[in-house]
Amino acid sequence: MAPFGLSALTSRLRGPGPGKPAAWAAPPGSWSRPFGLGWEQPYTVRYASNLDDGPSHGMPLGGFGAGCIGRAPDGNFNLWHLDGGEHWFGTLPDCQFSLFESGAKGRRAHALAVKPQADASRPEAGEPLGAWDWYPASTTERSTGTYAARYPLSWTEYEGVFDAQVGVQAFSPILPGDYQRSSYPVAVFVWTLSNPTDAPLDLSLLLSWRNTTGWFTNTDPSAAVTFRDDGSPEHNYVPAIGQGAGQRNRQVDGDGLSGVLLEGVLCEPIAEGQGQWCLATSPQEGVQVQRCSRWDPSGSGAELWEPFAREGSIPQSDNDRASSASEAASAALAVRFRLEPGESRQIPLVISWDLPVTAYATGSRALRRYSDFFSASGTNAAAIAAEALRDWPAWLQQIEAWQQPVLARTDLPEALRMALFNELYDLASGGSLWTAASSADPVGQFGVLECLDYAWYESLDVRLYGSFALLQLWPELDKAVLRSFARAIPAADATPRPIGWYFTQGKGRVEAARKLAGATPHDLGAPNERPFEATNYTAYQDCNLWKDLASDFVLQVWRTFKLAPNGEDLRFLADCWPAAVQALHYLKAFDTNNDGLPDNGGAPDQTFDDWPLKGVSAYCGALWIAALEAALAMAQRLQLDLGLDTSGDQRTFGSWLEQSRSNFDRLLWNGEFYKIDAESGTPVVMADQLCGDFYARLLGLPSVVADERAQSALRAVKEACFEGFQGGRLGVANGLRRDGTPLDPNGTHPLEVWTGINFGLAAYYRLMEQGDTALAICGAVVEQVYGGGLQFRTPEAITGVNTFRACHYLRAMAIWALWATHTNWQGIPGAEREAA
């Protein structure tokens, strides 16, 4: 692994060091890597059943909830999150850019990606597109280019192979406060080509693409649920990869657009996976556009490559014949032009898709948010591409404007500014769901998976940390999620389910009802069922017994009301108030000894769901006290500003609060830090023991504990769990003895560094005016993620033996909590805009 800390990563962000030849410099605040360079010791997965696609991950392209695609640092497209909430990873060699060049020094042509690996499961297929010439990868001795990303922007610069200077900037219109364009299923690639030689260069830029309409839907109607080796549920997903029946491609022209449409069968009503793709460019003077509507990618690819490599041409056709089930149909678009010495040209190429339906359980479906602006017919890919070709300069300008306040904060290390942007990737590629608007949901319903291994939406305990980005940049989506939880709290579902944790403990089958009335649900459901309606999908623990969820809900409601950049929303507060009252009453019922504080039950019953707590706990107790303070503040505002009579609730919550405060320190304070709980006798320093105090201070509520005790506890956490664990190289471990040794050397959660918990803890240190410690923690975690091959798949947990668990994790966006606590925060341009 590379050296720890922000300074080490920042040195890599800035490009070549002393004595190395000058090269293209990655833009400020971006993560960069030599093009196609392999990884020596990337992190690998901790549990064999968990997802590990390897380190070749780049920034996703596509709007929130629209499905997304990912182009890796080696130039290959390999991430295909086009079926809502589902994951498919694999390289399609024919989905590719290529470049032909002819000049005084001869001619050459390369696909602008490193050669993909052969499919080991199909040895009869041989090498992928054997006739094609692939771009050479960088080595430690020679760089052939650089990939850089600052979400939602990425750059790929090619060097040392072509005489022309070649680079591309790729992005989607991810714009804070814009609830229309942030949903668009489109990727814009702006190619810049320059001639630095003293002779003309003839160039041809090729975009080829596979028709994948009909692929991204589950062919297993049962979506059978099984349990992994860690006790968590997963469902069977068998996408229709490779099916070709009814696919057809044809040329399309319009105002400012020349392109190719890739279509498939359309049912009535349109089904999941059905729709269109479009490859398009804007006609320019001096640029010839060629289009091949159909070629066969299943062989060597010579029919397309030979004329391209010979003269920069492709066989022009407009053959819209429908494919049979066994056929593959790809299309291609090429732009040809000449560059005189010193001349440059910019070529925009757009890939758009229109797959408007997300299907859930049998007979249940939803339309994606972007269909509010382009209809739900599945025939709008060209219209989406045309808007992108018309508006991409304005989109790019708006992206640069909203990023500027973060880039300008030079008091924050560059690597931290980089991570603030790049951790937003999960809003697009984390299986995000964003439905069309309705009268009840004026911006639609929204959800991001906890992760791809734990595939259920918006886990409430996780988003306590991970939703800070949504709050600050798209506050109406944050409100939409919390309104969904408010509706779910009164609901009940008595369906019994086996609880996975008991299986892992060898305790046999223990069942529990799925959802009890008044219990705050853990999540908003899963993509294989009916999200937003059937909540509490996870069955690893009985979430009806969790002691943090009700507090999490109340605190997030008050946080969103107080901190949303578009101002205080009393209607939102009133909508959530009845559920908040019911949730707190439900949780208070777990106060078994009437000391005011809910008691943990012995089986893991909070966000550390493999870590048993017994009796009053510091983590849940502090959250409870902060939530009562928030509930009192809510009640007062609703009575004062809306005239609601909340006096009875204020008396109740006030009496609970007084009792809780009088007992919290008495039961848990040990003179230096807060014990993990009151009854288990576990002798560890829990890193996140005072999350509730962090929230209270952040929201301007009375602190949960006295300043001197908070500082003492934070000092113990720093010494035991950060400096005492791997010398601070990895981040803060969840729980160690005071001397930094593990209670159980084989423990799970206590010996893991949770990325999101670390970012939240760093924000707490920042609030307590310990900025150096905050940056040291963030630096260690950012170094591990972006130096260890975990970029754009940030996991929940990393370990001291170079393994990770649960990639593409929602909680890691807690890095935006640090921005929320930063001094003189001025917000982000655009985020304060009202919903469209």
Side-chain angles (χ1 to χ4, degrees):
M1 296 300 295
F4 126 76
L6 286 170
S7 59
L9 185 58
T10 298
S11 68
R12 295 207 301 277
L13 291 171
R14 295 182 184 277
K20 293 187 177 181
W24 176 83
S30 64
W31 173 80
S32 65
R33 185 165 180 83
F35 183 88
L37 182 68
W39 297 79
E40 291 184 5
Q41 288 183 302
Y43 272 87
T44 55
V45 76
R46 179 174 187 175
Y47 298 111
S49 61
N50 275 204
L51 181 69
D52 186 359
D53 294 316
S56 188
H57 280 263
M59 187 196 78
L61 292 154
F64 302 163
C68 70
I69 56 179
R71 188 170 188 249
D74 66 2
N76 283 294
F77 289 90
N78 57 12
L79 183 76
W80 309 86
H81 284 184
L82 294 162
D83 182 353
E86 307 290 359
H87 171 73
W88 191 72
F89 186 89
T91 298
L92 300 177
D94 47 310
C95 292
Q96 195 50 258
F97 293 101
S98 303
L99 183 66
F100 165 86
E101 175 185 85
S102 178
K105 297 180 181 178
R107 63 185 62 189
R108 61 194 59 81
H110 293 286
L112 295 175
V114 171
K115 184 177 181 179
Q117 297 294 314
D119 186 349
S121 66
R122 298 177 58 243
E124 76 280 359
E127 294 293 328
L129 299 180
W132 289 37
D133 293 309
W134 298 90
Y135 195 83
S138 296
T139 65
T140 53
E141 293 78 29
R142 176 201 179 200
S143 173
T144 60
T146 304
Y147 174 87
R150 189 179 73 211
Y151 186 81
L153 305 172
S154 72
W155 299 263
T156 307
E157 292 288 320
Y158 297 85
E159 61 177 297
V161 175
F162 293 99
D163 291 334
Q165 292 177 341
V166 182
V168 62
Q169 183 176 27
F171 63 94
S172 297
I174 305 301
L175 304 170
D178 190 325
Y179 299 90
Q180 177 174 334
R181 291 156 194 87
S182 298
S183 74
Y184 282 6
V186 67
V188 180
F189 299 85
V190 182
W191 289 86
T192 302
L193 302 105
S194 304
N195 181 2
T197 74
D198 56 6
L201 289 175
D202 291 313
L203 300 171
S204 182
L205 181 63
L206 169 68
L207 170 59
S208 58
W209 207 255
R210 181 82 63 91
N211 190 328
T212 61
T213 56
W215 284 22
F216 296 102
T217 187
N218 198 354
T219 61
D220 179 0
S222 71
V225 175
T226 57
F227 289 88
R228 295 188 185 88
D229 54 3
D230 63 0
S232 58
E234 65 177 343
H235 65 273
N236 196 37
Y237 179 62
V238 185
I241 303 300
Q243 81 86 28
Q247 292 177 344
R248 62 180 76 224
N249 306 334
R250 60 184 174 89
Q251 295 184 15
V252 61
D253 294 287
D255 185 17
L257 176 146
S258 292
V260 186
L261 274 178
L262 291 70
E263 303 176 298
V265 174
L266 290 178
C267 298
E268 182 58 45
I270 186 172
E272 182 179 61
Q274 295 181 347
Q276 294 178 330
W277 288 81
C278 184
L279 319 178
T281 190
S282 297
Q284 299 183 39
E285 185 177 352
V287 176
Q288 178 189 11
V289 178
Q290 296 183 336
R291 289 170 288 183
C292 174
S293 69
R294 187 183 186 92
W295 66 278
D296 182 5
S298 63
S300 70
E303 65 176 294
L304 191 73
W305 193 257
E306 287 183 355
F308 182 74
R310 185 173 60 249
E311 57 189 20
S313 295
I314 59 175
Q316 299 204 66
S317 65
D318 193 11
N319 176 5
D320 66 349
R321 176 183 64 83
S323 298
S324 67
S326 60
E327 289 183 293
S330 290
L333 179 152
V335 290
R336 302 178 66 196
F337 52 93
R338 168 168 286 193
L339 290 181
E340 298 297 334
E343 185 181 4
S344 296
R345 187 177 284 275
Q346 204 170 58
I347 303 290
L349 289 169
V350 165
I351 302 172
S352 63
W353 55 98
D354 183 14
L355 308 171
V357 172
T358 291
Y360 308 138
T362 303
S364 179
R365 48 183 260 152
L367 297 177
R368 288 173 157 149
R369 167 65 171 172
Y370 77 85
S371 68
D372 286 335
F373 314 107
F374 290 100
S375 88
S377 65
T379 60
N380 294 289
I384 296 167
E387 183 172 336
L389 288 167
R390 183 192 71 204
D391 292 346
W392 72 261
W395 293 349
L396 186 56
Q397 186 178 38
Q398 292 173 64
I399 292 170
E400 291 171 344
W402 79 254
Q403 292 192 338
Q404 188 54 41
V406 178
L407 293 173
R409 296 306 293 257
T410 55
D411 51 335
L412 289 176
E414 185 177 8
L416 180 53
R417 285 174 273 152
M418 175 277 295
L420 278 165
F421 293 121
N422 282 332
E423 289 305 319
L424 296 174
Y425 82 95
D426 200 51
L427 293 171
S429 70
S432 58
L433 170 65
W434 190 2
T435 69
S438 67
S439 57
D441 296 289
V443 296
Q445 292 183 291
F446 184 80
V448 176
L449 296 179
E450 179 175 331
C451 68
L452 297 174
D453 286 306
Y454 312 148
W456 38 87
Y457 289 107
E458 293 291 336
S459 299
L460 189 63
D461 56 316
V462 174
R463 81 179 314 273
L464 180 73
Y465 305 81
S467 59
F468 275 97
L470 205 63
L471 162 71
Q472 294 174 76
L473 303 175
W474 291 273
E476 295 303 318
L477 294 184
D478 191 51
K479 293 175 189 176
V481 173
L482 292 171
R483 281 190 168 104
S484 294
F485 274 102
R487 294 171 190 153
I489 285 170
D493 181 349
T495 306
R497 296 183 304 167
I499 303 304
W501 180 75
Y502 291 97
F503 287 118
T504 69
Q505 303 300 303
K507 298 182 178 181
R509 187 180 183 91
V510 175
E511 293 188 342
R514 177 164 181 157
K515 170 69 171 68
L516 297 180
T520 304
H522 168 272
D523 54 76
L524 293 175
N528 59 307
E529 289 193 336
R530 300 182 313 283
F532 308 114
E533 297 176 28
T535 61
N536 268 0
Y537 180 81
T538 180
Y540 182 60
Q541 296 289 355
D542 178 4
C543 296
N544 297 295
L545 302 179
W546 277 31
K547 309 308 186 300
D548 54 351
L549 295 174
S551 302
D552 294 346
F553 172 71
V554 173
L555 286 169
Q556 287 176 66
V557 169
W558 184 244
R559 180 203 65 181
T560 297
F561 175 75
K562 293 296 293 182
L563 299 185
N566 54 353
E568 294 183 345
D569 184 345
L570 283 164
R571 185 71 265 158
F572 163 75
L573 198 64
D575 288 346
C576 296
W577 173 246
V581 172
Q582 187 177 17
L584 290 174
H585 278 271
Y586 180 94
L587 181 54
K588 181 60 168 63
F590 291 101
D591 177 11
T592 58
N593 53 10
N594 199 33
D595 59 10
L597 293 155
D599 293 284
N600 294 88
D605 53 5
Q606 26 66 46
T607 195
F608 300 94
D609 60 357
D610 209 25
W611 199 354
L613 303 178
K614 182 66 174 174
V616 175
S617 67
Y619 180 76
C620 296
L623 286 170
W624 166 253
I625 291 172
L628 289 177
E629 292 284 7
L632 282 171
M634 285 187 213
Q636 291 162 6
R637 286 298 303 273
L638 290 171
Q639 184 158 321
L640 178 65
D641 294 335
L642 293 183
L644 298 180
D645 182 7
T646 63
S647 56
D649 294 316
Q650 290 185 56
R651 286 192 296 272
T652 298
F653 296 151
S655 66
W656 293 353
L657 181 61
E658 182 180 4
Q659 190 181 18
S660 297
R661 283 190 173 278
S662 67
N663 287 314
F664 184 78
D665 277 38
R666 180 182 65 83
L667 292 170
L668 297 170
W669 179 248
N670 72 357
E672 186 185 11
F673 56 89
Y674 288 87
K675 295 185 294 184
I676 188 171
D677 60 36
E679 297 182 22
S680 72
T682 304
V684 299
V685 180
M686 185 183 196
D688 206 25
Q689 59 189 265
L690 290 179
C691 179
D693 189 58
F694 161 65
Y695 251 88
R697 292 173 188 268
L698 177 69
L699 300 179
L701 299 168
S703 63
V704 173
V705 301
D707 288 359
E708 62 273 15
R709 291 192 174 183
Q711 295 286 9
S712 178
L714 286 174
R715 184 166 53 252
V717 169
K718 176 184 177 182
E719 293 173 0
C721 301
F722 181 44
E723 296 170 342
F725 182 71
Q726 301 284 325
R729 180 177 62 88
L730 303 185
V732 182
N734 282 326
L736 296 172
R737 296 178 187 268
R738 183 60 182 88
D739 62 2
T741 60
L743 180 66
D744 176 5
N746 298 314
T748 52
H749 289 185
L751 296 183
E752 291 180 330
V753 171
W754 287 12
T755 57
I757 295 289
N758 270 244
F759 292 142
L761 190 59
Y764 186 26
Y765 276 100
R766 175 68 192 80
L767 270 184
M768 301 303 291
E769 300 183 351
Q770 297 187 45
D772 289 347
T773 301
L775 292 182
I777 292 169
C778 286
V781 176
V782 169
E783 172 65 36
Q784 298 309 311
V785 171
Y786 290 89
L790 296 171
Q791 74 288 338
F792 303 110
R793 55 172 189 149
T794 307
E796 161 78 318
I798 60 176
T799 73
V801 292
N802 219 41
T803 62
F804 72 89
R805 178 173 60 81
C807 61
H808 298 258
Y809 206 77
L810 168 62
R811 187 160 11 213
M813 280 187 287
I815 195 168
W816 278 84
L818 200 74
W819 184 255
T821 63
H822 207 62
T823 54
N824 302 317
W825 176 48
Q826 298 298 317
I828 298 295
E832 74 283 352
R833 288 181 290 190
E834 292 298 325

